[in-house]
Amino acid sequence: MIVAEPKSLDEIKAMVDGYDRVLMAGCGTCVEVCLTGGERAVNITATALRLSRKVEGRDIEIGEQTVIRQCDFEYLDQIRDADKYQAIISLACGVGIQGMARKFPNIPVLPGVNTTFMGFNEEYGYYTEMCKGCGECVLDKTGGICPVARCAKSLLNGPCGGTNNGKCEIDSTRDCGWVLIYNKMNDTGEREKFLAYNGPKNYQKANNLRYMDLRK
Ligand code: SF4
Ligand code: SF4
């Protein structure tokens, strides 16, 4: 899932400073799971914004709507009465926010969250980054553990000389990705594969505008 964290109320307030009629739009998929963008987050953020403006003596009308996904026109079509608002605050990931901006080209669309990473839901409210969408997956060579996302240096061969008691030299609170890879491949009898050299990856696949066309 895509993980995002809320922007601060001060930041959102600054973005809508010139408006008194805004729509707060939630997304009910990934960002809802991480408690950042679903119906509840919309309601909490909208309420905080209303109260804050009231304290300043400047009321603001905030519509609240949440669709299943903002990364899909099919669901964006369900947004109602958008043209009655001066701006839209989107509580979706960066993809959804841009989807919203495309759907409503004449209305400013503002980000209510910071999109952070693609992660795994370890437990309620705790996520680990697992994939950086590099476009050339090497999980078959690394025991199903991503060296790009889980090694601080994105090394394709490791561990580096800094690993210490299974922890990463960049951040001693986090496991060394390459120790995880070694342990896993040792357990699965893939030591030989572990010792094989992994050649450089083509990062051009990750650095250019990408698309997927399934229409053919
Ligand atoms: S190797 Fe690339 S595609 Fe595969 S999990 Fe890692 S970042 Fe994602
Ligand atoms: S200690 Fe491990 S995770 Fe950290 S940079 Fe070195 S190989 Fe990567």
Side-chain angles (χ1 to χ4, degrees):
M1 58 181 271
I2 296 177
V3 179
E5 57 191 17
K7 279 192 181 288
S8 71
L9 185 60
D10 283 346
E11 211 176 336
I12 295 175
K13 266 179 70 182
M15 284 191 282
V16 298
D17 194 45
Y19 306 123
D20 53 26
R21 244 179 14 263
V22 301
L23 171 63
M24 192 157 296
C27 179
T29 307
C30 304
V31 289
E32 173 156 44
V33 177
C34 63
L35 312 176
T36 306
E39 205 169 329
R40 190 160 173 267
V42 165
N43 185 253
I44 291 170
T45 314
T47 303
L49 186 54
R50 274 187 212 104
L51 284 174
S52 166
R53 286 282 284 258
K54 206 172 186 69
V55 168
E56 292 172 358
R58 300 166 59 213
D59 279 344
I60 182 167
E61 181 190 334
I62 307 176
E64 299 179 28
Q65 294 181 42
T66 295
V67 294
I68 290 177
R69 286 204 296 273
Q70 288 189 24
C71 54
D72 193 325
F73 279 138
E74 194 180 325
Y75 296 105
L76 287 174
D77 287 344
Q78 294 167 4
I79 298 281
R80 303 174 310 277
D81 303 324
D83 52 0
K84 87 175 211 197
Y85 300 101
Q86 298 163 305
I88 298 172
I89 305 166
S90 167
L91 301 193
C93 74
V95 181
I97 298 167
Q98 293 180 66
M100 190 67 86
R102 284 172 63 178
K103 174 72 185 167
F104 302 108
N106 300 319
I107 306 174
V109 174
L110 314 165
V113 310
N114 294 320
T115 304
T116 46
F117 55 77
M118 284 187 274
F120 189 79
N121 193 349
E122 304 282 2
E123 59 184 75
Y124 189 66
Y126 185 75
Y127 310 93
T128 309
E129 182 170 24
M130 289 283 173
C131 173
K132 286 188 184 289
C134 75
E136 201 178 66
C137 195
V138 295
L139 289 177
D140 58 311
K141 300 180 179 71
T142 58
I145 296 167
C146 176
V148 182
R150 303 187 66 187
C151 165
K153 299 170 189 165
S154 294
L155 298 175
L156 294 176
N157 298 277
C160 72
T163 185
N164 188 11
N165 289 325
K167 298 296 179 189
C168 174
E169 70 167 341
I170 305 296
D171 177 353
S172 61
T173 66
R174 82 182 227 186
D175 292 331
C176 165
W178 271 101
V179 169
L180 296 177
I181 292 169
Y182 172 78
N183 288 338
K184 170 75 189 199
M185 294 183 84
N186 200 32
D187 289 348
T188 54
E190 296 179 291
R191 285 193 64 186
E192 243 173 70
K193 203 190 235 187
F194 174 85
L195 292 171
Y197 169 71
N198 295 318
K201 276 167 57 58
N202 180 4
Y203 278 106
Q204 270 191 330
K205 288 187 176 174
N207 291 335
N208 293 306
L209 176 64
R210 295 179 281 183
Y211 61 89
M212 178 187 286
D213 189 350
L214 299 177
R215 293 169 298 183
K216 292 172 214 130

